[in-house]
Amino acid sequence: MKLEQQLKALALRNQQVLQDCLTHQDSIHPPLQQAMLYSLLNGGKRIRPVLVYLACEFCGGSAEQADLPAAAIEMVHSYSLVHDDLPAMDNDELRRGKPTCHIAFDEATAILAGDALLTSAFELLSQPGERYQPAQQLAMIQCLSRAAGEHGMVQGQAFDLSHVGKALTVEALQQMHALKTGALITAALELGALAANCGNSDQLNALRQFGQHIGLAFQVKDDLLDIEADTVTLGKPSGSDQVRNKPTYPSLLGLAPCKALLQQLLHQAEDALKPFGDRARPLLQLADYIVRRSY
């Protein structure tokens, strides 16, 4: 299957699992659920859940084993976008080509919808069943919570917000994005391995190294797209980083060195999985897509 077809198939599978997880729950306040579904099912690249599926396959697991952690990580990612767009944070009005959650609903509903998506992710991973052993579930919960919280994404976002308009070194910028963006991307790969009950330390270490490189590459590409792509293509306002005077890779390095860094990171990601040959091909194709994407 070609990469584009595989990405579409896995994104659709993830969409169906997400829809099944949320839409059958009764609610005494339907607007909350509507805001959750609006933020969760409104498109997007679905890179993180796709990474869960591909890592699970890489470790000998099935799509069925990857379904719940893939849904959980997309819930966490969607919550983070809802909160990032709020007036107290990035104050954005457009996300994935549609009004952001606090614009489509209201600010309080957006905050609560984000809270509910975050907690629903861990409810999903902790459900009893025959698919996973309790130790697997505990490991997945710990992996996702660490990547999403004060040791990962939230710390990176806090650092980002506190350094708007301030000078940063390239090293500090890299540390920030390793937390803000990279932690959840690496966690997606680890979740896939855990879902497959992978006990091979070589595979796990290779996936972590791969995740660190593509996580940084993802952010470098985002910084470049903020300059080079238009709002319609991006689905969110282009040039917003420059308007807010946020530290980015292009602002610190310049465009040409940024593009060189992107290729370097791609090569490092490829090197991490080179020992596994054709087995790693889907993951390497996705890495190539990350650095060549147009939105």
Side-chain angles (χ1 to χ4, degrees):
M1 188 183 294
K2 291 183 178 179
L3 177 66
E4 294 79 7
Q5 294 173 315
Q6 188 174 28
L7 288 177
K8 185 176 180 180
L10 291 175
L12 287 172
R13 183 183 183 101
N14 179 243
Q15 186 91 344
Q16 187 60 58
V17 174
L18 290 168
Q19 201 160 10
D20 292 343
C21 288
L22 289 183
T23 53
H24 299 299
Q25 299 176 10
D26 293 330
S27 175
I28 63 168
H29 186 63
L32 174 64
Q33 192 175 71
Q34 290 164 10
M36 292 170 69
L37 292 170
Y38 178 86
S39 303
L40 190 60
L41 304 179
N42 67 347
K45 294 177 285 294
R46 299 288 196 241
I47 293 295
R48 291 154 193 83
V50 168
L51 282 169
V52 177
Y53 282 112
L54 294 184
C56 188
E57 179 186 27
F58 174 78
C59 292
S62 66
E64 289 75 18
Q65 288 173 292
D67 277 335
L68 296 187
I73 203 166
E74 187 61 22
M75 287 178 179
V76 170
H77 177 56
S78 295
Y79 123 78
S80 74
L81 299 182
V82 171
H83 280 195
D84 284 358
D85 291 336
L86 288 166
M89 307 247 300
D90 288 345
N91 195 24
D92 278 325
E93 297 184 356
L94 196 66
R95 171 69 66 179
R96 295 171 175 170
K98 298 178 182 178
T100 48
C101 188
H102 69 276
I103 299 295
F105 295 86
D106 57 68
E107 192 172 341
T109 300
I111 292 170
L112 293 170
D115 293 343
L117 286 170
L118 173 62
T119 50
S120 292
F122 297 101
E123 180 184 1
L124 193 61
L125 286 179
S126 62
Q127 286 180 356
E130 299 179 357
R131 195 174 300 185
Y132 315 108
Q133 296 297 315
Q136 276 180 278
Q137 290 179 281
L138 185 59
M140 287 191 287
I141 290 168
Q142 185 178 38
C143 172
L144 185 54
S145 58
R146 185 173 182 84
E150 65 161 323
H151 300 294
M153 182 178 65
V154 170
Q155 184 183 170
Q157 176 71 348
F159 186 88
D160 189 14
L161 290 170
S162 68
H163 285 78
V164 173
K166 298 179 182 178
L168 275 185
T169 64
V170 174
E171 291 75 15
L173 186 67
Q174 183 170 331
Q175 284 182 315
M176 178 183 80
H177 287 307
L179 296 170
K180 183 181 175 184
T181 305
L184 212 58
I185 284 176
T186 303
L189 293 156
E190 292 186 23
L191 285 170
L194 289 168
N197 205 18
C198 175
N200 186 312
S201 60
D202 289 340
Q203 289 182 14
L204 287 168
N205 289 332
L207 285 172
R208 290 189 187 105
Q209 290 177 29
F210 175 77
Q212 289 164 7
H213 296 314
I214 64 167
L216 185 54
F218 191 96
Q219 186 59 54
V220 173
K221 183 64 175 182
D222 262 8
D223 286 355
L224 286 167
L225 288 173
D226 187 69
I227 295 171
E228 297 181 333
D230 56 70
T231 296
V232 173
T233 303
L234 286 178
K236 59 183 179 180
S238 64
S240 59
D241 290 339
Q242 292 174 297
V243 170
R244 297 190 187 99
N245 197 22
K246 294 181 73 171
T248 65
Y249 282 96
S251 69
L252 291 181
L253 298 176
L255 287 178
C258 250
K259 292 177 181 179
L261 174 60
L262 201 55
Q263 291 306 308
Q264 178 187 339
L265 291 166
L266 177 59
H267 293 322
Q268 289 173 328
E270 291 169 345
D271 287 342
L273 296 184
K274 188 178 289 183
F276 300 96
D278 284 345
R279 228 170 109 200
R281 186 182 298 276
L283 284 167
L284 295 176
Q285 288 177 328
L286 184 60
D288 188 71
Y289 165 79
I290 285 171
V291 303
R292 299 187 192 285
R293 63 196 163 93
S294 59
Y295 69 97

